[in-house]
Amino acid sequence: MKRHDQHGHPHGLRPRVPRILAALLTLSVALVVPLGGPAPSQAAAADDKKVLTVAVAQSVDSLSPFLASRLVSTSIHRLMYEYLTNYDPKDARAIPGLATKWTPSADKLSWTYTIRSGTKWSDGKPVTAEDAAWTFNKMMTDENAATANGSFVGNFKKVTAPSPTQLVIELDKPQATMAALDVPIVPKHVWEKVKDFSKFNNDTEFPVVGNGPFVLTGYKADSYVRLEPNENFWRGPAKFDELLFKYYKDGDAAVAALQKGEVSFVSGLTPAQAEALQGQQNIKVNDAPGRRFYALATNPGARAANGEKFGDGHPSLLDQRVRQALFMAVDRTALVDKVFQGHAVEGEGYIPPRFSPYYWKPSAEQKLAYDPTQAAQLLDQAGYRKNGDGERVGKDGKPINYRILCHATDPNDKAVGQYLKEWWSDLGIGVTLNCLDNVSDPWLAGQYDLAFDGWSVNPDPDFVLSIHTCDALPATPEDVGATDNFICDKKYDELYARQLAEYDPATRADLVKQMESRLYDLGYMNVMAYPNAVEAYRTDQIKSITTMPEKAGNIYGQDGYWSWWSAVPAASGDSSDGSGSTGVVVGIVAGAVILVGAGVFFGLRRRATAEDRE
C-alpha cells in the first residue's frame, strides 16, 4: 500500500489549518504547475553523452568516509567504495561485496572474510585484505577517523590480513552485526598519507581513487558532485556515461528543472509537487514506503562524556512530564492528513514499519495519544502554570517560549511548525521557529530547545540505536561525538549492549523493541510520521531503474548502489522494458555466505544516516 489510510481525528476534534500553512500549500502548487509540451531530454547532448543528473536538497558535508554523516555524502561513498558486504535489493539480506564469504569461529569471537581477488583500485593498484585491515585499524586507533563509523569497531580487539585475500577480525565479545559492516573500505596507499583525519575532506585531487561502481571526477561545494562509471567494477560498469548530483536549495526549482529536462531525477517531493507531476508526459512518480522517520527531538541537557554540561536548552524540558505533555499536544493523524497529505504513516516507535522485525508500537495504556486536556494537566502538575495572560511561566517567572530548530530547505518542517505554534499556544506555550540552512552548528553546541529530526534506517537498526547511547556523547564540549541528541540513559545502554551481542534474531528483535519502548517513555524523541519516498524521474532520460525493495521501495538513498548502477538510459537498447518501470533485474554474483546458526539474519547501519540526519 503506497499511502496510509485516512483516519478520523481523536476526540472528535478537527484540527485547524493555520492560514499561513494554507497559503504555503497554495503557493507550492502554483510553483509547480505543469509546463506545456514535451521537455527536451538532457540525455541527448550534442556529443550523445548519457548524463544522469540527480537533484539533491542537501549539500555535501564531507567527501571523507571517515567524517561524513549526511545522506547525500554517504550515498556518494556507497558509489565510490566497496564495503565488505552489501544488501540484496530484493529482500535486504546480506550479500557479498568486497568479501565473497565470511565465517565465524565457534565462539563467534573471530570472523574470517575472504576478500575478492583480481579487483583493482581505479588507479590500477590491486585491492587486498590489507586495505580493509588498515581501514579498520585506523578507525580503532585514531578517534578522528572514527567520527562517522566508530560504533562498528568499538568491540574490535584485533584486525589482521594474513594474506591478500584473507581478513581476520577478532572481537572482545560477540557482535551481531558482523555480516554487514557498513564501512567504506579505502585504499591504504592513498589514505596512509593523510596526517589529520579531522581536517582532510578528500575533495582536492581528482579523480578520487576508489573501487566502487563509480569514480568521483569533480566536485564544487554547494553546487555539484560528478562521477563516471568504473569500467573495471567487478559487477560490470554502469550504463550512463556520467552521474551528476546537483544541489538545489529550493525544492520547487528542482521540480521545475525536472519538468524542463535539466535534471533526470528529483526526490523528497511535497504532496503538491507530486500531484502536479502525476500524469505529465515523460515523468514517472515513485511513491513507496520509506526508510525514514520524522521526529521532534527535545534537548535533554547537552553534556559531554566528561560530565561537563553546555548549551542553553530550556530547563523545563528536563522534566519528563513536560516532554510528554508537549507530545500529547501533537496530533500525528492531522499531520499525516494535512501536511503529508497521506504520503506518510502515523509515527509511533523509533523504527519505521518497513523494517517489520523491529517495528514497535506502544500499547493502548502506554501511548501518548493526542489529548490537549491531559497535556495541560501534566504541565500544571509539573509546576508550569498559566499567568494572568494565559502564558505558562517557567521557574524563573518568565513566559515559556521554545526555540525549535528547523531545516530552511524542508517545507515539512515549516508546515509542522505552524501546527505546533497553534497547538502549543492553546497550552500557553510560545514557539519560535529557527529555520536555518545549517542546523548542525547550533545542534552540536546544544543551543536549541527542540529540533526537527530524521534519520534513514538500515535493515539492521544498530546504528540509529547507537547514537542514543552514553558512549556516543562527545568527549568534551569542544569535541564532536556520534550522538544525535545528547541522550544518555543507563537502562537504554544496558539494552543496547544486550542486543548487539545477541545472535538469535527473535530475541534480538525483542530487545530492540524494549529499547524503542524506553525511548518512547523517556519522551526525548517524538516520532511524528514515517514519510513515504516520493520522487520522480524522466522516462525519456531513464528507461529503467531499480528500487529497493524492488517491489515497492525508494530510489534515492538506498542501502547500496543499485539504483544508479542499474539505471538504463532511455535511448539504450540494453533493456527490454521500455515503460520506465522500476523493475530492472540486477545481476548479483552469487557468493557463498557461511553463517553459524540457522536462520540468522544480519544487516547494519553506520553514521550514514545523519541526514542520514535529514
Side-chain angles (χ1 to χ4, degrees), residues 441-464:
D441 290 343
W443 199 314
L444 294 173
Q447 295 174 349
Y448 65 99
D449 298 322
L450 298 103
F452 290 107
D453 199 0
W455 288 78
S456 294
V457 179
N458 275 45
D460 185 297
D462 181 80
F463 172 78
V464 291

Side-chain angles (χ1 to χ4, degrees), residues 81 121 123 131 134-135 185-192 209-210:
Y81 303 103
W121 296 105
D123 63 359
D131 294 301
W134 186 90
T135 299
I185 303 303
V186 302
K188 175 185 175 182
H189 67 279
V190 174
W191 284 84
E192 65 183 353
V209 179

Side-chain angles (χ1 to χ4, degrees), residues 48 65 70 206 221 285 352 410 415 476 486 586:
D48 203 31
R70 292 182 180 175
F206 303 100
V285 175
D410 191 336
T476 71
F486 304 103
V586 179

